[in-house]
Amino acid sequence: MSDYVHTSVSNGTGFITLDRPKALNSLSLAMVRDITAALMAWRDDSGVAAVVIRSSSEKAFCAGGDIRFFYDNGRATPQGGSALVEDFFTEEYALNHLIHFYPKPYIALMDGVVMGGGMGVAQGGPDCRVRIVTERTKMAMPEVNIGLFPDVGGSYFLSRAPGRLGSYLGVTGVTIGAADALYAGLADHYVPAAEMAALSALLESTAGAALKDAIAAFAAPFRAAVGEGKLAAERSVIDRHFGAASVAAIVGSLKTDDNAFAQKTLQVMATRSPLMMCVTHELVRRGAALDVAECLRLERTLVRHNFEDGEVIEGVRALVIDKDNAPQWKPSSLDAVDEAMVQRFFQPVWPDYAHPLRHLD
């Protein structure tokens, strides 16, 4: 294991602890490989009945992929490291697929920041997932803010959120809390931060085979305390506007609405990459008709196009490197984005037999 991922087995449960607190547990390629190795080792191990993934810090579960790494290596030649970017996304998406179909309960303690790649390692499939949030949870698929798109299976799980919530969350990249995560189907249980020590004790003391039911029983009394979030309150507004056929149409619809939420949404969208909002809208639309493996293969294609286009390099520069928060998006306005620009991102990069994720099913 690397310095940033610690694993252990206790009482029939495999524990994965992310421990890169200074970077909010941003995933490196080595961390992706460590998590994958542990899950593959435990998959057929009769001594492991459940898996828990957590953070060593209450500040963040995982803030996503290491975007500084993307910037440094994404501008390089293969000799200078760009091949590592290719490896990262191929192996990260393969890990997302492994997690989705994991044959044992997969328990994610989504305390603190949970964004991008952090969602990818938390969103197990319906047969295995146990996703726990607290009042400290800050959840988002914020990729459009850095000129990327919601990947790590986002085209699958966002497209399956109720109504138009997935399109709203992907196109705007906004951050939500515990109540909204539960409402959108992106979390299963709420546990107050004050009870996390008791939950940790439960995880350690309960046999892995009984853990899923024990967590449900432990969390049940707290469900009402989470309250109502903004998504439930604004659901009709979101569904009305984000049901439009394009991002330009969404913006046009929002402009006719003097509702404070609608106007705030317009302000947020004005800061995002116009091109990648449009790509995201199309991606979520397509994802609704695809299975997990197909979604991940499509996203892998989009990543290649995205780094060739350079929008993500500029977004990371503005947000993380120079920190001027003034990205020079290309195109700079939504009006300048045409359909051909969007569809280019969906053009196959490899023949089916050579796709890096061809083995996923």
Side-chain angles (χ1 to χ4, degrees), residues 131-208:
R131 302 161 298 176
I132 299 163
V133 288
T134 77
E135 70 269 28
R136 293 186 296 231
T137 299
K138 295 184 175 86
M139 179 182 289
M141 293 299 287
E143 288 81 0
V144 291
N145 195 35
I146 59 165
L148 195 57
F149 60 90
D151 61 338
V152 297
S155 58
Y156 183 85
F157 58 74
L158 289 179
S159 66
R160 283 153 179 81
R164 302 296 179 174
L165 296 183
S167 181
Y168 165 73
L169 293 172
V171 169
T172 65
V174 295
T175 300
I176 60 174
D180 287 333
L182 290 161
Y183 183 75
L186 299 172
D188 304 301
H189 303 296
Y190 170 72
V191 174
E195 300 293 335
M196 288 299 284
L199 176 60
S200 294
L202 178 78
L203 297 177
E204 298 286 351
S205 63
T206 305

Side-chain angles (χ1 to χ4, degrees), residues 314-327:
E314 172 58 14
V316 174
R317 179 208 63 76
L319 189 75
V320 177
I321 307 302
D322 296 339
K323 299 183 180 178
D324 58 22
N325 291 311

Side-chain angles (χ1 to χ4, degrees), residues 110-132:
M110 297 192 290
D111 192 15
V113 175
V114 190
M115 296 184 180
M119 288 285 280
V121 295
Q123 295 293 325
D127 295 334
C128 69
R129 64 190 178 208
V130 181
R131 302 161 298 176
I132 299 163

Side-chain angles (χ1 to χ4, degrees), residues 35-46 48 98 102 104:
I35 298 167
T36 301
L39 291 177
M40 291 182 71
W42 293 337
R43 184 171 50 188
D44 300 316
D45 185 343
S46 60
V48 177
L98 173 64
Y102 210 65
K104 302 171 182 183

